[in-house]
Amino acid sequence: PFEYQDESGNYVGIDMELIKAIAEQQGFTITIQNPGFDAALNAVQAGQADAVIAGMSITEERQKKYDFSEAYYDSYVCMAVKKGSDIKGYEDLKGKKVAAKTGTQGADCAESLKDKYGFDITYFDDSATMYQDVKTGNTVACFEDQPVMAYGVSQGNGLEIVAEEKDNFSTPYGFAVLKGQNADLLKMFNEGLKNIKANGTYDEIVAKYTSAK
């Protein structure tokens, strides 16, 4: 529910509405690009973008390269399978292939479990392609941020959640700029976030995309 294309091809979601509301509240102008997660990080590193907001988990590793805002959402990782699958948990993955998105917490989670449960990982650039791969049976499960998957399930994506990792892979999401760069933008984001939480806009945006339809 953080960013996706609606039926008209427009990008919508929690991240999209949050950054627009914060920009308006703080009086700055934004241009939004949607290149995919890995490409978004590369754009910031190359100086082609000032910041990234993309359901991006604040991790120690990422804090070496980026400065993060205050957390704007708390998330954790889950594993989902095709609805009706006989995969009920990690123990059923031995000798099979699972899917994960490159550079995400979901991929880190899958990598941490891979040797213990004896499965292989296929990597994807976006959620839609990853889900499709699980539905066609090329991979038997996928690792994804729980709010993203829960939203997809509620929208009929054909998958179901069978396992959750709340302890080791529970992380807040943040707005990120390159380390040591764009401090003013980060400050405006934090200030705007605080204000839209206070005036109810934040709760409205989150409820719009996380309440069951």
Side-chain angles (χ1 to χ4, degrees):
F2 292 91
E3 57 276 304
Y4 61 95
Q5 280 181 288
D6 65 12
E7 283 141 10
S8 312
N10 300 313
Y11 280 93
V12 294
I14 293 173
D15 286 347
M16 303 296 290
E17 292 205 28
L18 273 186
I19 191 61
K20 286 174 184 172
I22 288 168
E24 188 179 337
Q25 206 279 323
Q26 289 291 297
F28 62 89
T29 319
I30 50 168
T31 306
I32 300 176
Q33 300 167 324
N34 294 87
F37 188 74
D38 250 16
L41 299 189
N42 290 338
V44 172
Q45 286 176 36
Q48 295 161 349
D50 296 305
V52 59
I53 183 166
M56 184 174 174
S57 305
I58 303 170
T59 64
E60 275 184 39
E61 194 57 34
R62 286 181 181 151
Q63 283 173 320
K64 292 172 188 172
K65 287 185 185 175
Y66 304 96
D67 288 327
F68 282 92
S69 66
E70 297 294 322
Y72 66 84
Y73 197 92
D74 287 317
S75 175
Y76 53 91
V77 172
C78 70
M79 182 178 85
V81 298
K82 184 179 177 180
K83 223 170 181 170
S85 165
D86 54 6
I87 304 286
K88 304 298 178 198
Y90 303 140
E91 294 78 10
D92 301 324
L93 298 175
K94 192 172 175 60
K96 298 189 163 59
K97 284 194 290 190
V98 308
K101 273 189 305 189
T102 309
T104 63
Q105 276 284 94
D108 290 347
C109 181
E111 284 155 13
S112 77
L113 299 168
K114 175 179 172 223
D115 293 340
K116 184 178 177 182
Y117 295 102
F119 57 81
D120 289 317
I121 306 170
T122 305
Y123 294 90
F124 295 88
D125 289 331
D126 64 273
S127 295
T129 315
M130 178 170 77
Y131 300 168
Q132 195 54 43
D133 201 71
V134 175
K135 285 196 287 187
T136 54
N138 295 327
T139 46
V140 297
C142 62
F143 286 79
E144 175 71 282
D145 287 357
Q146 193 275 343
V148 177
M149 181 54 72
Y151 179 80
V153 169
S154 79
Q155 299 299 297
N157 68 0
L159 303 180
E160 60 182 336
I161 295 171
V162 294
E164 295 180 337
E165 284 291 324
K166 288 186 177 176
D167 297 329
N168 298 328
F169 293 92
S170 172
T171 51
Y173 287 168
F175 172 82
V177 297
L178 205 57
K179 203 157 191 65
Q181 308 279 324
N182 285 305
D184 289 346
L185 179 57
L186 207 53
K187 192 177 169 190
M188 285 192 289
F189 182 92
N190 284 333
E191 194 60 33
L193 179 63
K194 192 171 82 178
N195 292 338
I196 66 167
K197 279 186 171 180
N199 68 22
T201 305
Y202 174 88
D203 288 339
E204 280 173 26
I205 292 170
V206 170
K208 179 175 171 183
Y209 292 100
T210 55
S211 303
K213 296 282 188 286

